[in-house]
Amino acid sequence: MGEDIRLAAVVALAQGMAAAHGSREAWRAAAAGACRALGGSFAALSVWERELGRLRVLVNVGERAAGEEEFPDGEAYPVHQFPEITEFLHERWAGGGEPNAWVETAEGPAAGGRPGYVHQRVAALRRRGRGSCVVAPIVLNGRAWGELYVARPTGAPVFGREDADFATVLAAVVAAGIAQAERLEEARRLAFTDALTGLANRRAVDARLDEAVDRHKRDGVVVSLVVCDLNGLKRVNDTRGHAVGDRLLERFGSVLSLCGAMLPGALAARLGGDEFCLLAVGPSADDVVRAADELCRRAGELELGEGVACGVASTADPIGPVRSARRLFRLADAAQYRAKAERAERPVVAGRGGPDDPVVRLADATPSGQTAERRTFRGRQP
């Protein structure tokens, strides 16, 4: 393979990983790009899990053998079966050497191979109809991260020393791509997570609710929103300090998460200050009300605070057409406002107050978004 072709392959690999959305796509792009660059028929990317003493396969691409899944749940290999993993992914390069790739074949050592190759690799090649493989350690942030594995079928040209050297270069490109993907994923996680409670934040709710309402309009799926105002937070902050107030917020966040687990796929979030919500897509309105009822009960048992004011709005209840996320939010917030005003110990549900439901009238009389936007970010911010 000419230098220009190999350079183009390196660029294509880097571009493929840069374009990936999330770690799984990055893994697939890394394995597929390396497979093409080395002229292989199969490639795998694996991570070294030190604490478990094993090499776990993240992705398999190309011509997979029986039992090889693209994203396997449990394909892993104990390190003691592959002592070269420890040697080449830890001891040798950690001692100042280079994490060079090596070649193994179904027939024995090859050019670019290593003395003392292990029979497990050879047996695996034969069992899967592969004639040779090149294994390249991946080093990330100065530590062994895993390995890149590319194979060719029986009868194809066997990998050589030049291929092993090129695989070392590809592994370095893959390491850079993985580092970038992990940084982006962490940034995305932080952007949609409340720092204090670990729940989702308002940005995450807005994105999920927009998608949910679109599904409701298209497919009729039930979308329900529970909006909660934690009572007594200001008193706790003023009399016992913000550290104790933060502890109350964290504890209520745990209760919210626990009750949200009653609704498959529900999103538990802190909207800001003392306001929280649950977003459920699919469960019935009655199931959501039961979860909200349990939330009120458990919140009332917290050592700190004074319970919670809870409002519920669901597209399955008689609340009129819901054509926007803003309307559902306004209805749930109006129900919560009424629960607060009445010091209700149970949730107030929009649309269940008869033909002239006061919650629906309040929501419809409020200028679009005013109630939710005015109340959501009051109080102490996260």
Side-chain angles (χ1 to χ4, degrees), residues 243-257:
V244 178
D246 286 350
R247 191 158 71 247
L248 171 59
L249 289 167
E250 290 178 289
R251 289 180 177 175
F252 180 72
S254 297
V255 170
L256 182 71
S257 180

Side-chain angles (χ1 to χ4, degrees), residues 226 263 284-295 312 314 317 346-347 349 352:
V226 180
L263 306 167
S284 70
D286 286 342
D287 285 344
V288 173
V289 171
R290 276 191 287 272
D293 210 13
E294 179 69 6
L295 177 63
V312 182
S314 174
D317 281 327
R346 300 188 62 186
V349 185
R352 296 192 178 185

Side-chain angles (χ1 to χ4, degrees), residues 21-352:
H21 297 284
S23 292
R24 282 165 67 98
E25 284 191 24
W27 300 337
R28 185 197 287 116
C35 191
R36 286 192 297 270
L38 285 162
S41 60
F42 170 85
L45 186 69
S46 304
V47 63
W48 188 14
E49 297 181 328
R50 283 180 178 80
E51 71 280 7
L52 299 176
R54 68 182 190 177
L55 193 70
R56 180 170 63 87
V57 178
L58 299 173
V59 63
N60 294 309
V61 301
E63 298 174 7
R64 301 197 300 269
E68 288 178 331
E69 300 175 0
E70 182 178 22
F71 292 105
D73 289 329
E75 186 180 353
Y77 303 95
V79 170
H80 72 264
Q81 292 184 3
F82 300 94
E84 85 280 9
I85 296 172
T86 301
E87 178 185 351
F88 276 77
L89 272 66
H90 180 63
E91 294 172 1
R92 178 169 295 192
W93 63 264
E98 293 296 326
N100 293 325
W102 68 91
V103 173
E104 291 170 355
T105 80
E107 303 302 325
R114 300 169 38 250
Y117 67 95
V118 291
H119 64 85
Q120 286 90 346
R121 294 270 194 193
V122 174
L125 286 170
R126 292 174 179 170
R127 185 171 63 253
R128 291 165 179 163
R130 294 166 186 152
S132 66
C133 69
V134 60
V135 183
I138 296 172
V139 178
L140 191 62
N141 300 323
R143 300 191 67 188
W145 183 89
E147 71 167 34
L148 177 66
Y149 174 101
V150 180
R152 287 175 179 167
T154 300
V158 171
F159 287 113
R161 179 68 261 167
E162 195 174 285
D163 295 310
D165 291 341
F166 185 42
T168 299
V169 173
L170 294 174
V173 175
V174 168
I178 289 170
Q180 176 69 5
E182 290 183 351
R183 284 193 294 269
L184 289 174
E185 196 157 275
E186 178 65 7
R188 292 189 192 101
R189 187 189 68 79
L190 292 174
F192 289 94
T193 302
D194 175 64
L196 177 63
T197 63
L199 300 176
N201 63 13
R202 175 62 186 263
R203 184 180 291 108
V205 173
D206 286 344
R208 184 79 67 86
L209 186 56
D210 282 338
E211 294 173 0
V213 171
D214 285 344
R215 285 186 58 195
H216 167 70
K217 291 188 294 183
R218 184 180 65 248
D219 306 323
V221 66
V222 175
V223 180
S224 304
L225 191 64
V226 180
V227 174
C228 313
D229 188 304
L230 185 58
N231 297 327
L233 178 63
K234 185 178 186 305
R235 177 189 58 78
V236 172
N237 284 336
D238 290 345
T239 61
R240 303 185 64 175
H242 285 291
V244 178
D246 286 350
R247 191 158 71 247
L248 171 59
L249 289 167
E250 290 178 289
R251 289 180 177 175
F252 180 72
S254 297
V255 170
L256 182 71
S257 180
L258 180 66
C259 294
M262 298 169 60
L263 306 167
L267 180 71
R270 181 187 177 202
L271 299 173
D274 55 4
E275 299 237 1
F276 294 76
C277 82
L278 278 176
L279 171 59
V281 182
S284 70
D286 286 342
D287 285 344
V288 173
V289 171
R290 276 191 287 272
D293 210 13
E294 179 69 6
L295 177 63
C296 290
R297 185 186 70 78
R298 288 178 177 270
E301 294 175 352
L302 289 175
E303 178 185 354
L304 302 169
E306 301 167 4
V308 64
C310 187
V312 182
S314 174
T315 59
D317 281 327
I319 57 175
V322 176
R323 298 189 178 91
S324 70
R326 187 179 291 260
R327 173 168 168 75
L328 191 65
F329 218 120
R330 196 163 66 245
L331 284 158
D333 195 66
Q336 186 253 110
Y337 184 85
R338 186 173 180 86
K340 188 87 167 179
E342 296 178 353
R343 299 183 179 275
E345 296 183 355
R346 300 188 62 186
V348 171
V349 185
R352 296 192 178 185

